[in-house]
Amino acid sequence: MAETQDKQAVKAERHAVRLAKQIGHFAKEHGGAEGQVAYIGQRGARIVLVGEDGGWGDLVAPSHAVALAAVEKAGITVHEDFDGEFAAKVKTGRYEWSRMAGIQLGGPKNG
């Protein structure tokens, strides 16, 4: 049983390292980054990233603990909530607005 736990710990650590590298790459491309970690149930946790240039993206970790380890390894500022000044940094473009409108109106339009 201890061997299984050790394997799971190693797997979680590797996943956190991979996510941290992705976060670092995002931060480099966007002049820095901040994030927020949200629990999404059995699927794990979502790491929302916002770059200094307003670009944004997200990653999904298999657990909240792995997500927290990843953002810590990446060295980014992590916010408790996605609101206020942090949320105001997000810049959306035409694509995002059309997707949001499509969802509100019953899905994307063809043609």
Side-chain angles (χ1 to χ4, degrees), residues 66-109:
V66 169
L68 292 176
V71 295
E72 183 178 324
K73 287 176 187 310
I76 64 169
T77 298
V78 180
H79 297 268
E80 283 285 320
D81 298 303
F82 192 81
D83 61 5
E85 288 181 36
F86 178 52
K89 289 182 177 186
V90 175
K91 292 185 181 163
T92 56
R94 191 171 182 185
Y95 171 78
E96 289 85 5
W97 281 104
S98 69
R99 292 285 298 156
M100 287 186 275
I103 291 168
Q104 293 297 319
L105 299 173
K109 303 291 182 199

mmCIF file of all heavy atoms in Angstrom, residues 66-109:
data_model
loop_
_atom_site.group_PDB
_atom_site.id
_atom_site.type_symbol
_atom_site.label_atom_id
_atom_site.label_comp_id
_atom_site.label_asym_id
_atom_site.label_seq_id
_atom_site.Cartn_x
_atom_site.Cartn_y
_atom_site.Cartn_z
ATOM 1 N N VAL A 66 -2.575 19.362 -6.561
ATOM 2 C CA VAL A 66 -1.644 19.438 -7.689
ATOM 3 C C VAL A 66 -1.668 20.848 -8.283
ATOM 4 O O VAL A 66 -0.625 21.416 -8.612
ATOM 5 C CB VAL A 66 -1.969 18.373 -8.762
ATOM 6 C CG1 VAL A 66 -1.182 18.622 -10.044
ATOM 7 C CG2 VAL A 66 -1.672 16.980 -8.223
ATOM 8 N N ALA A 67 -2.852 21.432 -8.398
ATOM 9 C CA ALA A 67 -2.971 22.793 -8.925
ATOM 10 C C ALA A 67 -2.216 23.783 -8.047
ATOM 11 O O ALA A 67 -1.474 24.632 -8.550
ATOM 12 C CB ALA A 67 -4.437 23.191 -9.044
ATOM 13 N N LEU A 68 -2.397 23.673 -6.741
ATOM 14 C CA LEU A 68 -1.697 24.576 -5.819
ATOM 15 C C LEU A 68 -0.182 24.389 -5.895
ATOM 16 O O LEU A 68 0.574 25.360 -5.869
ATOM 17 C CB LEU A 68 -2.190 24.378 -4.388
ATOM 18 C CG LEU A 68 -3.627 24.813 -4.119
ATOM 19 C CD1 LEU A 68 -4.026 24.476 -2.680
ATOM 20 C CD2 LEU A 68 -3.819 26.296 -4.403
ATOM 21 N N ALA A 69 0.255 23.145 -6.005
ATOM 22 C CA ALA A 69 1.694 22.876 -6.140
ATOM 23 C C ALA A 69 2.228 23.485 -7.431
ATOM 24 O O ALA A 69 3.327 24.058 -7.453
ATOM 25 C CB ALA A 69 1.967 21.378 -6.104
ATOM 26 N N ALA A 70 1.461 23.402 -8.499
ATOM 27 C CA ALA A 70 1.897 23.934 -9.796
ATOM 28 C C ALA A 70 2.051 25.448 -9.763
ATOM 29 O O ALA A 70 3.066 25.981 -10.228
ATOM 30 C CB ALA A 70 0.911 23.523 -10.890
ATOM 31 N N VAL A 71 1.067 26.154 -9.217
ATOM 32 C CA VAL A 71 1.176 27.616 -9.192
ATOM 33 C C VAL A 71 2.290 28.059 -8.247
ATOM 34 O O VAL A 71 2.963 29.061 -8.500
ATOM 35 C CB VAL A 71 -0.165 28.313 -8.845
ATOM 36 C CG1 VAL A 71 -1.189 28.070 -9.935
ATOM 37 C CG2 VAL A 71 -0.708 27.899 -7.499
ATOM 38 N N GLU A 72 2.509 27.294 -7.190
ATOM 39 C CA GLU A 72 3.606 27.620 -6.277
ATOM 40 C C GLU A 72 4.951 27.435 -6.980
ATOM 41 O O GLU A 72 5.826 28.297 -6.891
ATOM 42 C CB GLU A 72 3.539 26.744 -5.028
ATOM 43 C CG GLU A 72 4.606 27.097 -4.005
ATOM 44 C CD GLU A 72 4.499 26.252 -2.751
ATOM 45 O OE1 GLU A 72 3.372 25.926 -2.335
ATOM 46 O OE2 GLU A 72 5.558 25.917 -2.201
ATOM 47 N N LYS A 73 5.102 26.339 -7.701
ATOM 48 C CA LYS A 73 6.349 26.082 -8.428
ATOM 49 C C LYS A 73 6.578 27.138 -9.506
ATOM 50 O O LYS A 73 7.702 27.529 -9.772
ATOM 51 C CB LYS A 73 6.326 24.693 -9.074
ATOM 52 C CG LYS A 73 6.465 23.547 -8.106
ATOM 53 C CD LYS A 73 6.345 22.213 -8.826
ATOM 54 C CE LYS A 73 6.311 21.038 -7.884
ATOM 55 N NZ LYS A 73 7.345 20.994 -6.875
ATOM 56 N N ALA A 74 5.499 27.593 -10.136
ATOM 57 C CA ALA A 74 5.606 28.600 -11.191
ATOM 58 C C ALA A 74 5.923 29.983 -10.624
ATOM 59 O O ALA A 74 6.418 30.847 -11.340
ATOM 60 C CB ALA A 74 4.321 28.643 -11.999
ATOM 61 N N GLY A 75 5.616 30.176 -9.352
ATOM 62 C CA GLY A 75 5.936 31.445 -8.703
ATOM 63 C C GLY A 75 5.030 32.604 -9.082
ATOM 64 O O GLY A 75 5.437 33.760 -9.022
ATOM 65 N N ILE A 76 3.783 32.307 -9.446
ATOM 66 C CA ILE A 76 2.868 33.392 -9.804
ATOM 67 C C ILE A 76 2.028 33.796 -8.602
ATOM 68 O O ILE A 76 1.872 33.041 -7.648
ATOM 69 C CB ILE A 76 1.949 33.002 -10.979
ATOM 70 C CG1 ILE A 76 1.014 31.849 -10.607
ATOM 71 C CG2 ILE A 76 2.760 32.692 -12.226
ATOM 72 C CD1 ILE A 76 -0.094 31.595 -11.624
ATOM 73 N N THR A 77 1.465 35.000 -8.669
ATOM 74 C CA THR A 77 0.534 35.462 -7.655
ATOM 75 C C THR A 77 -0.786 34.724 -7.845
ATOM 76 O O THR A 77 -1.279 34.614 -8.965
ATOM 77 C CB THR A 77 0.288 36.982 -7.793
ATOM 78 O OG1 THR A 77 1.527 37.654 -7.595
ATOM 79 C CG2 THR A 77 -0.733 37.481 -6.783
ATOM 80 N N VAL A 78 -1.345 34.220 -6.764
ATOM 81 C CA VAL A 78 -2.602 33.480 -6.832
ATOM 82 C C VAL A 78 -3.657 34.243 -6.036
ATOM 83 O O VAL A 78 -3.429 34.630 -4.895
ATOM 84 C CB VAL A 78 -2.437 32.052 -6.268
ATOM 85 C CG1 VAL A 78 -3.754 31.299 -6.335
ATOM 86 C CG2 VAL A 78 -1.362 31.303 -7.016
ATOM 87 N N HIS A 79 -4.805 34.451 -6.668
ATOM 88 C CA HIS A 79 -5.920 35.166 -6.045
ATOM 89 C C HIS A 79 -6.936 34.171 -5.515
ATOM 90 O O HIS A 79 -7.144 33.116 -6.088
ATOM 91 C CB HIS A 79 -6.587 36.085 -7.074
ATOM 92 C CG HIS A 79 -5.677 37.147 -7.585
ATOM 93 N ND1 HIS A 79 -5.586 38.392 -7.012
ATOM 94 C CD2 HIS A 79 -4.788 37.134 -8.612
ATOM 95 C CE1 HIS A 79 -4.692 39.107 -7.668
ATOM 96 N NE2 HIS A 79 -4.189 38.366 -8.645
ATOM 97 N N GLU A 80 -7.600 34.559 -4.436
ATOM 98 C CA GLU A 80 -8.650 33.727 -3.842
ATOM 99 C C GLU A 80 -9.855 33.631 -4.765
ATOM 100 O O GLU A 80 -10.451 32.571 -4.910
ATOM 101 C CB GLU A 80 -9.107 34.312 -2.500
ATOM 102 C CG GLU A 80 -8.150 34.054 -1.360
ATOM 103 C CD GLU A 80 -8.220 32.619 -0.874
ATOM 104 O OE1 GLU A 80 -9.331 32.048 -0.787
ATOM 105 O OE2 GLU A 80 -7.157 32.064 -0.602
ATOM 106 N N ASP A 81 -10.223 34.765 -5.369
ATOM 107 C CA ASP A 81 -11.416 34.839 -6.204
ATOM 108 C C ASP A 81 -11.083 35.457 -7.550
ATOM 109 O O ASP A 81 -10.088 36.160 -7.701
ATOM 110 C CB ASP A 81 -12.495 35.697 -5.521
ATOM 111 C CG ASP A 81 -12.937 35.109 -4.202
ATOM 112 O OD1 ASP A 81 -13.373 33.938 -4.207
ATOM 113 O OD2 ASP A 81 -12.853 35.811 -3.174
ATOM 114 N N PHE A 82 -11.946 35.216 -8.502
ATOM 115 C CA PHE A 82 -11.783 35.798 -9.829
ATOM 116 C C PHE A 82 -12.728 36.989 -9.924
ATOM 117 O O PHE A 82 -13.815 36.916 -10.501
ATOM 118 C CB PHE A 82 -12.093 34.757 -10.912
ATOM 119 C CG PHE A 82 -11.666 35.196 -12.272
ATOM 120 C CD1 PHE A 82 -10.349 35.067 -12.659
ATOM 121 C CD2 PHE A 82 -12.559 35.742 -13.155
ATOM 122 C CE1 PHE A 82 -9.932 35.485 -13.910
ATOM 123 C CE2 PHE A 82 -12.162 36.155 -14.411
ATOM 124 C CZ PHE A 82 -10.855 36.031 -14.788
ATOM 125 N N ASP A 83 -12.330 38.089 -9.297
ATOM 126 C CA ASP A 83 -13.162 39.278 -9.304
ATOM 127 C C ASP A 83 -12.299 40.520 -9.134
ATOM 128 O O ASP A 83 -11.079 40.429 -9.045
ATOM 129 C CB ASP A 83 -14.241 39.202 -8.223
ATOM 130 C CG ASP A 83 -13.676 39.090 -6.805
ATOM 131 O OD1 ASP A 83 -12.448 39.173 -6.627
ATOM 132 O OD2 ASP A 83 -14.468 38.927 -5.864
ATOM 133 N N GLY A 84 -12.936 41.655 -9.109
ATOM 134 C CA GLY A 84 -12.252 42.906 -8.863
ATOM 135 C C GLY A 84 -11.195 43.250 -9.893
ATOM 136 O O GLY A 84 -11.367 43.025 -11.090
ATOM 137 N N GLU A 85 -10.094 43.795 -9.411
ATOM 138 C CA GLU A 85 -9.010 44.225 -10.289
ATOM 139 C C GLU A 85 -8.430 43.071 -11.099
ATOM 140 O O GLU A 85 -8.028 43.250 -12.239
ATOM 141 C CB GLU A 85 -7.905 44.888 -9.470
ATOM 142 C CG GLU A 85 -8.272 46.251 -8.928
ATOM 143 C CD GLU A 85 -7.137 46.875 -8.148
ATOM 144 O OE1 GLU A 85 -5.964 46.691 -8.537
ATOM 145 O OE2 GLU A 85 -7.433 47.557 -7.150
ATOM 146 N N PHE A 86 -8.380 41.898 -10.501
ATOM 147 C CA PHE A 86 -7.838 40.735 -11.201
ATOM 148 C C PHE A 86 -8.689 40.410 -12.433
ATOM 149 O O PHE A 86 -8.183 40.266 -13.544
ATOM 150 C CB PHE A 86 -7.763 39.542 -10.250
ATOM 151 C CG PHE A 86 -7.264 38.272 -10.878
ATOM 152 C CD1 PHE A 86 -6.077 38.238 -11.587
ATOM 153 C CD2 PHE A 86 -7.983 37.098 -10.757
ATOM 154 C CE1 PHE A 86 -5.618 37.056 -12.166
ATOM 155 C CE2 PHE A 86 -7.536 35.921 -11.323
ATOM 156 C CZ PHE A 86 -6.353 35.906 -12.034
ATOM 157 N N ALA A 87 -9.984 40.309 -12.272
ATOM 158 C CA ALA A 87 -10.873 40.002 -13.393
ATOM 159 C C ALA A 87 -10.864 41.121 -14.426
ATOM 160 O O ALA A 87 -10.972 40.866 -15.633
ATOM 161 C CB ALA A 87 -12.295 39.756 -12.896
ATOM 162 N N ALA A 88 -10.699 42.350 -13.978
ATOM 163 C CA ALA A 88 -10.698 43.495 -14.889
ATOM 164 C C ALA A 88 -9.486 43.483 -15.828
ATOM 165 O O ALA A 88 -9.509 44.146 -16.866
ATOM 166 C CB ALA A 88 -10.741 44.794 -14.100
ATOM 167 N N LYS A 89 -8.454 42.728 -15.505
ATOM 168 C CA LYS A 89 -7.263 42.651 -16.357
ATOM 169 C C LYS A 89 -7.504 41.848 -17.638
ATOM 170 O O LYS A 89 -6.772 41.984 -18.603
ATOM 171 C CB LYS A 89 -6.099 42.017 -15.596
ATOM 172 C CG LYS A 89 -5.530 42.892 -14.514
ATOM 173 C CD LYS A 89 -4.350 42.210 -13.858
ATOM 174 C CE LYS A 89 -3.729 43.121 -12.814
ATOM 175 N NZ LYS A 89 -2.503 42.557 -12.265
ATOM 176 N N VAL A 90 -8.530 41.001 -17.641
ATOM 177 C CA VAL A 90 -8.805 40.137 -18.785
ATOM 178 C C VAL A 90 -9.284 40.972 -19.968
ATOM 179 O O VAL A 90 -10.201 41.785 -19.837
ATOM 180 C CB VAL A 90 -9.871 39.072 -18.443
ATOM 181 C CG1 VAL A 90 -10.238 38.266 -19.680
ATOM 182 C CG2 VAL A 90 -9.377 38.172 -17.335
ATOM 183 N N LYS A 91 -8.650 40.746 -21.105
ATOM 184 C CA LYS A 91 -9.079 41.392 -22.341
ATOM 185 C C LYS A 91 -9.684 40.328 -23.235
ATOM 186 O O LYS A 91 -9.060 39.314 -23.524
ATOM 187 C CB LYS A 91 -7.893 42.050 -23.042
ATOM 188 C CG LYS A 91 -7.354 43.231 -22.284
ATOM 189 C CD LYS A 91 -6.267 43.928 -23.038
ATOM 190 C CE LYS A 91 -5.768 45.090 -22.200
ATOM 191 N NZ LYS A 91 -4.495 45.578 -22.655
ATOM 192 N N THR A 92 -10.920 40.573 -23.626
ATOM 193 C CA THR A 92 -11.584 39.642 -24.521
ATOM 194 C C THR A 92 -11.648 40.247 -25.914
ATOM 195 O O THR A 92 -11.672 41.465 -26.078
ATOM 196 C CB THR A 92 -13.013 39.316 -24.036
ATOM 197 O OG1 THR A 92 -13.732 40.534 -23.891
ATOM 198 C CG2 THR A 92 -12.985 38.570 -22.730
ATOM 199 N N GLY A 93 -11.683 39.386 -26.875
ATOM 200 C CA GLY A 93 -11.744 39.822 -28.255
ATOM 201 C C GLY A 93 -13.060 39.454 -28.891
ATOM 202 O O GLY A 93 -13.991 38.967 -28.240
ATOM 203 N N ARG A 94 -13.119 39.658 -30.170
ATOM 204 C CA ARG A 94 -14.330 39.377 -30.938
ATOM 205 C C ARG A 94 -14.767 37.907 -30.810
ATOM 206 O O ARG A 94 -15.943 37.604 -30.706
ATOM 207 C CB ARG A 94 -14.048 39.730 -32.388
ATOM 208 C CG ARG A 94 -15.219 39.742 -33.250
ATOM 209 C CD ARG A 94 -14.863 40.302 -34.597
ATOM 210 N NE ARG A 94 -16.071 40.341 -35.400
ATOM 211 C CZ ARG A 94 -16.105 40.676 -36.637
ATOM 212 N NH1 ARG A 94 -15.003 41.025 -37.243
ATOM 213 N NH2 ARG A 94 -17.246 40.677 -37.285
ATOM 214 N N TYR A 95 -13.778 36.998 -30.847
ATOM 215 C CA TYR A 95 -14.088 35.578 -30.751
ATOM 216 C C TYR A 95 -14.832 35.255 -29.457
ATOM 217 O O TYR A 95 -15.862 34.592 -29.467
ATOM 218 C CB TYR A 95 -12.814 34.741 -30.844
ATOM 219 C CG TYR A 95 -13.046 33.279 -30.543
ATOM 220 C CD1 TYR A 95 -13.611 32.443 -31.502
ATOM 221 C CD2 TYR A 95 -12.724 32.732 -29.306
ATOM 222 C CE1 TYR A 95 -13.849 31.108 -31.229
ATOM 223 C CE2 TYR A 95 -12.956 31.402 -29.028
ATOM 224 C CZ TYR A 95 -13.517 30.596 -29.996
ATOM 225 O OH TYR A 95 -13.756 29.272 -29.716
ATOM 226 N N GLU A 96 -14.310 35.745 -28.329
ATOM 227 C CA GLU A 96 -14.928 35.446 -27.040
ATOM 228 C C GLU A 96 -16.342 36.012 -26.970
ATOM 229 O O GLU A 96 -17.262 35.357 -26.495
ATOM 230 C CB GLU A 96 -14.084 35.988 -25.878
ATOM 231 C CG GLU A 96 -12.807 35.243 -25.650
ATOM 232 C CD GLU A 96 -11.661 35.720 -26.527
ATOM 233 O OE1 GLU A 96 -11.822 36.712 -27.278
ATOM 234 O OE2 GLU A 96 -10.591 35.083 -26.467
ATOM 235 N N TRP A 97 -16.535 37.236 -27.457
ATOM 236 C CA TRP A 97 -17.854 37.844 -27.408
ATOM 237 C C TRP A 97 -18.833 37.085 -28.290
ATOM 238 O O TRP A 97 -19.995 36.887 -27.926
ATOM 239 C CB TRP A 97 -17.798 39.321 -27.793
ATOM 240 C CG TRP A 97 -17.306 40.137 -26.654
ATOM 241 C CD1 TRP A 97 -16.066 40.679 -26.505
ATOM 242 C CD2 TRP A 97 -18.030 40.471 -25.466
ATOM 243 N NE1 TRP A 97 -15.973 41.336 -25.294
ATOM 244 C CE2 TRP A 97 -17.157 41.218 -24.637
ATOM 245 C CE3 TRP A 97 -19.314 40.206 -25.017
ATOM 246 C CZ2 TRP A 97 -17.545 41.712 -23.403
ATOM 247 C CZ3 TRP A 97 -19.692 40.696 -23.779
ATOM 248 C CH2 TRP A 97 -18.817 41.442 -22.989
ATOM 249 N N SER A 98 -18.384 36.627 -29.461
ATOM 250 C CA SER A 98 -19.286 35.880 -30.323
ATOM 251 C C SER A 98 -19.636 34.528 -29.701
ATOM 252 O O SER A 98 -20.763 34.061 -29.805
ATOM 253 C CB SER A 98 -18.693 35.686 -31.718
ATOM 254 O OG SER A 98 -17.587 34.808 -31.684
ATOM 255 N N ARG A 99 -18.685 33.880 -29.047
ATOM 256 C CA ARG A 99 -18.949 32.605 -28.379
ATOM 257 C C ARG A 99 -19.915 32.806 -27.224
ATOM 258 O O ARG A 99 -20.832 32.026 -27.036
ATOM 259 C CB ARG A 99 -17.653 31.963 -27.857
ATOM 260 C CG ARG A 99 -16.717 31.499 -28.914
ATOM 261 C CD ARG A 99 -17.186 30.237 -29.582
ATOM 262 N NE ARG A 99 -17.246 29.176 -28.589
ATOM 263 C CZ ARG A 99 -18.013 28.111 -28.683
ATOM 264 N NH1 ARG A 99 -18.773 27.931 -29.716
ATOM 265 N NH2 ARG A 99 -18.011 27.201 -27.751
ATOM 266 N N MET A 100 -19.701 33.852 -26.429
ATOM 267 C CA MET A 100 -20.592 34.097 -25.300
ATOM 268 C C MET A 100 -21.997 34.412 -25.782
ATOM 269 O O MET A 100 -22.978 33.907 -25.245
ATOM 270 C CB MET A 100 -20.050 35.228 -24.430
ATOM 271 C CG MET A 100 -18.837 34.829 -23.609
ATOM 272 S SD MET A 100 -18.325 36.114 -22.472
ATOM 273 C CE MET A 100 -17.287 37.096 -23.531
ATOM 274 N N ALA A 101 -22.115 35.219 -26.819
ATOM 275 C CA ALA A 101 -23.436 35.552 -27.361
ATOM 276 C C ALA A 101 -24.090 34.303 -27.940
ATOM 277 O O ALA A 101 -25.288 34.086 -27.770
ATOM 278 C CB ALA A 101 -23.319 36.636 -28.427
ATOM 279 N N GLY A 102 -23.310 33.473 -28.621
ATOM 280 C CA GLY A 102 -23.852 32.242 -29.194
ATOM 281 C C GLY A 102 -24.390 31.312 -28.132
ATOM 282 O O GLY A 102 -25.445 30.699 -28.306
ATOM 283 N N ILE A 103 -23.691 31.221 -27.028
ATOM 284 C CA ILE A 103 -24.144 30.364 -25.930
ATOM 285 C C ILE A 103 -25.448 30.908 -25.359
ATOM 286 O O ILE A 103 -26.395 30.171 -25.095
ATOM 287 C CB ILE A 103 -23.052 30.243 -24.855
ATOM 288 C CG1 ILE A 103 -21.871 29.435 -25.403
ATOM 289 C CG2 ILE A 103 -23.609 29.598 -23.579
ATOM 290 C CD1 ILE A 103 -20.626 29.490 -24.533
ATOM 291 N N GLN A 104 -25.526 32.213 -25.179
ATOM 292 C CA GLN A 104 -26.719 32.830 -24.618
ATOM 293 C C GLN A 104 -27.928 32.706 -25.546
ATOM 294 O O GLN A 104 -29.050 32.628 -25.108
ATOM 295 C CB GLN A 104 -26.481 34.320 -24.321
ATOM 296 C CG GLN A 104 -25.479 34.552 -23.224
ATOM 297 C CD GLN A 104 -25.943 33.977 -21.897
ATOM 298 O OE1 GLN A 104 -27.093 34.079 -21.532
ATOM 299 N NE2 GLN A 104 -25.031 33.344 -21.184
ATOM 300 N N LEU A 105 -27.662 32.660 -26.845
ATOM 301 C CA LEU A 105 -28.756 32.628 -27.818
ATOM 302 C C LEU A 105 -29.040 31.224 -28.330
ATOM 303 O O LEU A 105 -29.694 31.040 -29.334
ATOM 304 C CB LEU A 105 -28.426 33.547 -28.997
ATOM 305 C CG LEU A 105 -28.238 35.015 -28.614
ATOM 306 C CD1 LEU A 105 -27.760 35.806 -29.805
ATOM 307 C CD2 LEU A 105 -29.536 35.596 -28.053
ATOM 308 N N GLY A 106 -28.504 30.213 -27.672
ATOM 309 C CA GLY A 106 -28.827 28.835 -28.058
ATOM 310 C C GLY A 106 -27.769 28.144 -28.866
ATOM 311 O O GLY A 106 -28.036 27.161 -29.524
ATOM 312 N N GLY A 107 -26.550 28.633 -28.822
ATOM 313 C CA GLY A 107 -25.453 27.950 -29.523
ATOM 314 C C GLY A 107 -24.936 28.743 -30.700
ATOM 315 O O GLY A 107 -25.546 29.710 -31.133
ATOM 316 N N PRO A 108 -23.790 28.324 -31.208
ATOM 317 C CA PRO A 108 -23.179 29.047 -32.328
ATOM 318 C C PRO A 108 -24.047 28.934 -33.577
ATOM 319 O O PRO A 108 -24.716 27.932 -33.802
ATOM 320 C CB PRO A 108 -21.826 28.360 -32.515
ATOM 321 C CG PRO A 108 -21.930 27.070 -31.790
ATOM 322 C CD PRO A 108 -23.021 27.199 -30.771
ATOM 323 N N LYS A 109 -24.038 29.980 -34.351
ATOM 324 C CA LYS A 109 -24.817 30.026 -35.588
ATOM 325 C C LYS A 109 -23.962 29.546 -36.752
ATOM 326 O O LYS A 109 -22.793 29.881 -36.842
ATOM 327 C CB LYS A 109 -25.291 31.453 -35.886
ATOM 328 C CG LYS A 109 -26.112 32.065 -34.757
ATOM 329 C CD LYS A 109 -27.452 31.402 -34.618
ATOM 330 C CE LYS A 109 -28.250 32.065 -33.529
ATOM 331 N NZ LYS A 109 -29.311 31.299 -33.034
#
